[in-house]
């Protein structure tokens, strides 16, 4: 059973910081990429930041220069450091792992999400 679990959401003032963590677990052969997405009420889910196994990083234009994605490969963990938060960053943040299982299946595994609220 594959599982992705996020943590670290909560409330912050505009200009503040939060750090999200995401751990992938289960019968994993390797992880191709992991990323963070977010969905605000009434809006579509959007990519926030993505980190591939070959080290490529992609950020949404709206978070460039403010958010930083990083990883701990040994722990199948990815982090999202969010600085200079804005009220428009408020959303439920989801982690996604694109991985190969021990049964050689290519899977997209999503977490349950963690809520981030930024007040002005």
């Amino acid at each position: 059973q594959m599982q992705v679990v996020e943590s670290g959401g909560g409330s912050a003032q505009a200009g503040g910081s939060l750090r999200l963590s995401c751990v992938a677990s289960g019968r994993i052969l390797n992880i191709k990429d992991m990323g963070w997405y977010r969905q605000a009420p009434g809006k579509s889910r959007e990519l926030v930041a993505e980190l591939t196994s070959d080290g490529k990083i992609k950020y949404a234009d709206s978070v460039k220069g403010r958010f930083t994605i990083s990883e701990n490969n040994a722990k199948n963990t990815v982090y999202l450091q969010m600085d200079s938060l804005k009220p428009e960053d408020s959303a439920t943040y989801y982690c996604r792992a694109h991985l190969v299982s021990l049964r050689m299946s290519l899977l997209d595994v999503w977490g349950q999400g963690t809520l981030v609220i930024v007040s002005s």
Side-chain angles (χ1 to χ4, degrees), residues 2 24 28 30-32 97-101 105-109:
M2 305 295 171
I28 299 171
N30 69 70
I31 296 177
K32 291 190 169 295
H98 188 57
L99 55 85
V100 180
S101 71
S105 297
L106 188 60
L107 303 172
D108 267 336
V109 184

Side-chain angles (χ1 to χ4, degrees), residues 39-55:
Q39 187 167 18
K43 294 188 177 181
S44 302
R45 189 173 297 189
E46 61 175 358
L47 174 69
V48 176
E50 183 178 60
L51 179 60
T52 64
S53 58
D54 59 355

Side-chain angles (χ1 to χ4, degrees), residues 88-118:
E88 51 263 43
D89 294 320
S90 297
T92 299
Y93 283 70
Y94 297 91
C95 181
R96 180 194 69 106
H98 188 57
L99 55 85
V100 180
S101 71
L102 290 179
R103 291 189 174 187
M104 303 303 291
S105 297
L106 188 60
L107 303 172
D108 267 336
V109 184
W110 290 85
Q112 293 294 313
T114 185
L115 183 61
V116 171
I117 299 174
V118 183

Side-chain angles (χ1 to χ4, degrees), residues 32-89:
K32 291 190 169 295
D33 56 74
M34 292 183 76
W36 289 96
Y37 293 72
R38 67 186 181 188
Q39 187 167 18
K43 294 188 177 181
S44 302
R45 189 173 297 189
E46 61 175 358
L47 174 69
V48 176
E50 183 178 60
L51 179 60
T52 64
S53 58
D54 59 355
K56 294 179 181 177
I57 296 177
K58 180 189 297 183
Y59 292 104
D61 288 343
S62 59
V63 306
K64 283 180 181 176
R66 300 189 298 120
F67 290 11
T68 304
I69 188 170
S70 60
E71 65 181 343
N72 183 328
N73 283 332
K75 297 183 178 181
N76 287 342
T77 300
V78 66
Y79 307 97
L80 186 68
Q81 178 66 39
M82 305 187 295
D83 298 318
S84 301
L85 284 164
K86 302 176 181 180
E88 51 263 43
D89 294 320

